[in-house]
Amino acid sequence: MLVLGLETSCDETGVALYDSERGLLADALFSQIDLHRVYGGVVPELASRDHVKRMLPLIRQVLDEAGASREQIEAIAYTSGPGLVGALLVGAACAQALAFAWGIPAVGVHHMEGHLLAPMLEEQPPAFPFVALLVSGGHTQLVRVDGIGRYQLLGESLDDAAGEAFDKTAKLMGLRYPGGPEIARLAESGTPGRFTFPRPMTDRPGLDFSFSGLKTFTLNTWQQCRDAGDASEQTRADIARAFQDAVVDTLTIKCKRALKQTGLNSLVIAGGVSANQALRKSLESMLTGLKGKVFYARPRFCTDNGAMIAYAGCQRLLAGQHEGPEIKVQARWPMEQLPAI
């Protein structure tokens, strides 16, 4: 089955073609970072308008790269939630219109299920069951995964997601948007141990997270340094290193606890923050000690993309699932509500 995948949950327009027998044939992505950078964050209305502008040219580009025609497409998968409602509606309306015009089925895909299944696009995909750490700008969750649609939420952030904390902390320190990569870049030249930040909620049982206090701790540290006349680039890098180390250690401790609780030794990390090299190294070291393995997607499939939506949609289409002609999206959508296949 040849599936066209469309991703428009936030500020990136993703399109891909996935074949159930040949794998990923082509994908394209347009990021709106430059558009939103001047505002220091995503402006929903601008994001929606830009999706309208980019969608059809990207579809044509992907078809050309794959050497395919629209007549060969057998189904369309699109992100129907969670995300920004206006942005989601652009992708859903485009998918349903094309599906109606071409006489093929369409299926709405859960954005986080797309992220969770992105490592399945790699040469050595994980086998079920496994524990998944979904870590992005909007979500930080630990999930036991026994199959597609068979998800058990183990823990989640009670406030800011890890990626959100990265972005907000960077903004508080005067770094440009998006903040996550800026913090990671600075942390590379930071001095280990100059500042020691707390590891939130690791001193109590459970698998939930909290990063808002860590963000505040970082801001206070930066302000204290500035008040003392030390606002050098090295000090900024040292604080970035301390912040990143705290987030990475917290995520690693909770992942280790989740693996012990479930008795599993395979871990999948997915979402934008899963591209962070410090996090990958920490989890790989932890899994080596447990004689387990960590799986993740290549960096370009860690952020929002059409390939993960095409793959996830293909699996559900092959199981006989599809949508009616209605255009439906959900800003909030618990992943545990998805049907198993």
Side-chain angles (χ1 to χ4, degrees):
M1 175 180 283
L2 183 60
V3 178
L4 176 68
L6 309 180
E7 155 62 20
T8 62
S9 66
C10 190
D11 62 335
E12 289 169 315
T13 312
V15 177
L17 271 179
Y18 180 84
D19 187 274
S20 56
E21 296 183 358
R22 294 179 290 165
L24 183 64
L25 303 184
D27 72 283
L29 183 72
F30 183 85
S31 174
Q32 301 174 9
I33 286 177
D34 291 339
L35 175 64
H36 300 286
R37 178 170 283 147
V38 65
Y39 303 101
V42 177
V43 180
E45 179 62 25
L46 294 181
S48 303
R49 292 181 181 183
D50 204 66
H51 286 311
V52 173
K53 179 180 179 181
R54 307 293 175 181
M55 181 60 70
L56 292 181
L58 284 176
I59 291 175
R60 296 189 187 100
Q61 177 183 331
V62 165
L63 287 172
D64 289 343
E65 290 180 2
S69 65
R70 66 174 182 83
E71 289 79 14
Q72 294 174 287
I73 298 175
E74 299 172 78
I76 301 178
Y78 62 94
T79 304
S80 56
L84 301 176
V85 171
L88 291 168
L89 283 170
V90 174
C94 181
Q96 290 288 12
L98 292 177
F100 178 79
W102 297 344
I104 57 178
V107 65
V109 173
H110 192 290
H111 179 71
M112 295 311 294
E113 181 174 68
H115 275 304
L116 188 152
L117 297 177
M120 298 296 183
L121 294 166
E122 304 303 319
E123 291 185 4
Q124 295 183 329
F128 301 114
F130 54 78
V131 170
L133 171 65
L134 302 178
V135 57
S136 66
H139 298 80
T140 300
Q141 298 177 328
L142 279 167
V143 182
R144 177 185 172 120
V145 182
D146 290 295
I148 298 178
R150 298 171 61 195
Y151 308 130
Q152 177 189 356
L153 180 64
L154 302 174
E156 61 184 340
S157 180
L158 304 179
D159 40 58
D160 290 351
E164 183 181 8
F166 265 99
D167 288 340
K168 288 182 176 178
T169 298
K171 187 174 182 178
L172 292 171
M173 293 176 63
L175 301 176
R176 67 176 188 168
Y177 173 86
E182 291 297 305
I183 291 282
R185 177 187 61 80
L186 267 181
E188 291 180 0
S189 57
T191 304
R194 179 183 172 188
F195 298 101
T196 301
F197 286 8
R199 275 56 175 164
M201 297 186 69
T202 58
D203 59 349
R204 66 186 74 177
L207 296 173
D208 287 331
F209 304 90
S210 173
F211 295 106
S212 63
L214 183 60
K215 176 187 63 183
T216 303
F217 192 95
T218 307
L219 174 61
N220 290 338
T221 302
W222 174 237
Q223 289 179 334
Q224 289 167 8
C225 290
R226 293 179 64 187
D227 292 343
D230 183 6
S232 67
E233 193 66 12
Q234 185 59 53
T235 292
R236 197 197 302 259
D238 294 345
I239 292 175
R241 174 63 181 265
F243 172 81
Q244 178 174 268
D245 285 350
V247 173
V248 168
D249 285 353
T250 299
L251 294 173
T252 302
I253 290 168
K254 295 286 186 170
C255 285
K256 184 176 182 179
R257 193 176 292 177
L259 291 168
K260 182 178 180 180
Q261 178 177 310
T262 59
L264 301 175
N265 65 353
S266 291
L267 176 71
V268 164
I269 56 171
V273 183
S274 69
N276 183 285
Q277 294 302 307
L279 177 60
R280 291 190 176 194
K281 290 178 182 177
S282 178
L283 292 175
E284 286 172 353
S285 177
M286 182 267 289
L287 264 295
T288 299
L290 296 178
K291 298 182 179 180
K293 189 172 182 180
V294 60
F295 299 85
Y296 40 76
R298 70 199 81 167
R300 68 191 180 104
F301 292 152
C302 291
T303 55
D304 296 349
N305 63 88
M308 67 182 192
I309 301 304
Y311 175 84
C314 183
Q315 307 314 304
R316 292 196 169 274
L317 286 158
L318 289 172
Q321 297 182 23
H322 59 83
E323 308 289 346
E326 301 86 3
I327 299 173
K328 297 185 296 183
V329 298
Q330 300 183 62
R332 298 183 181 275
W333 187 7
M335 200 164 61
E336 309 92 89
Q337 294 180 358
L338 294 174
I341 64 173

